[in-house]
Amino acid sequence: MGIVMGHHHGFTVSDLDRSVAFYRDLLGMELVRISERKDLPSYDTILGYDRVHLNIAILRHPVNEFILELVQYVHPEVEARPQENRYLGASHVAFEVDDVDAMHARLKKAGFGSINPPTDVDRDGVVVARAMYALDPDGISIEMFQEFEDVIKR
């Protein structure tokens, strides 16, 4: 018995509507559904809380079917914590993009920040890609990665 395949990546968010708009409207993911989970003992057991109340959005990439789950806790209430990649348990999702510089400009125009501007990825003197870490509405790291088909040699 083992893992058959990856299923989805999930983030806890503070405002489901705002996060759905970010991932759908700015990043191009498709909204599959929004649902509420409340008064379901199985969720209490699975998550380890009493009287769990969640609002959940499922989004997927229209081409490769990658699934992203956004979860807003109503009960217990969501608690903010520092968002830095170096913290134990920190998570990010990486999206391959066709133009990381254009994505950076698009996010910036929409009022979203990034940890770094688009930067060449150098491996052993060879530029293999350009990448950046964007920030979603909750400050969660989202890697944008543009891999070069023809590797540029320095």
Side-chain angles (χ1 to χ4, degrees):
M1 291 288 178
I3 294 173
V4 175
M5 64 179 265
H7 187 268
H8 69 273
H9 191 90
F11 289 125
T12 298
V13 300
S14 64
D15 181 325
L16 192 65
D17 292 334
R18 181 180 69 174
S19 293
V20 165
F22 175 84
Y23 288 96
R24 181 192 59 212
D25 302 340
L26 282 173
L27 301 189
M29 297 194 73
E30 293 179 345
L31 179 62
V32 175
R33 70 177 171 276
I34 293 179
S35 55
E36 181 179 42
R37 300 289 184 260
K38 183 178 180 184
D39 300 324
L40 298 168
S42 63
Y43 278 77
D44 293 357
T45 301
I46 291 167
L47 296 171
Y49 300 116
D50 292 328
R51 300 182 333 268
V52 169
H53 181 182
L54 309 171
N55 293 319
I56 300 171
I58 302 296
L59 298 106
R60 85 172 150 233
H61 187 274
V63 175
N64 70 5
E65 301 290 312
F66 171 80
I67 296 173
L68 181 67
E69 176 188 52
L70 303 175
V71 179
Q72 179 182 358
Y73 277 78
V74 177
H75 185 271
E77 288 184 29
V78 68
E79 280 188 47
R81 67 180 174 108
Q83 298 283 346
E84 283 194 36
N85 288 326
R86 67 183 178 93
Y87 290 139
L88 185 64
S91 176
H92 76 275
V93 63
F95 293 111
E96 187 171 341
V97 297
D98 57 6
D99 186 338
V100 72
D101 293 287
M103 181 61 77
H104 181 260
R106 181 178 185 171
L107 292 170
K108 190 173 180 179
K109 182 178 180 183
F112 293 96
S114 62
I115 293 171
N116 62 291
T119 303
D120 287 344
V121 177
D122 183 319
R123 293 190 186 132
D124 301 320
V126 177
V127 176
V128 297
R130 278 181 70 71
M132 64 172 276
Y133 273 81
L135 298 173
D136 87 346
D138 287 303
I140 297 170
S141 294
I142 309 296
E143 183 179 358
M144 302 292 177
F145 191 82
Q146 178 185 355
E147 191 166 30
F148 296 141
E149 289 182 27
D150 297 326
V151 175
I152 302 168
K153 295 197 178 205
R154 286 191 173 184

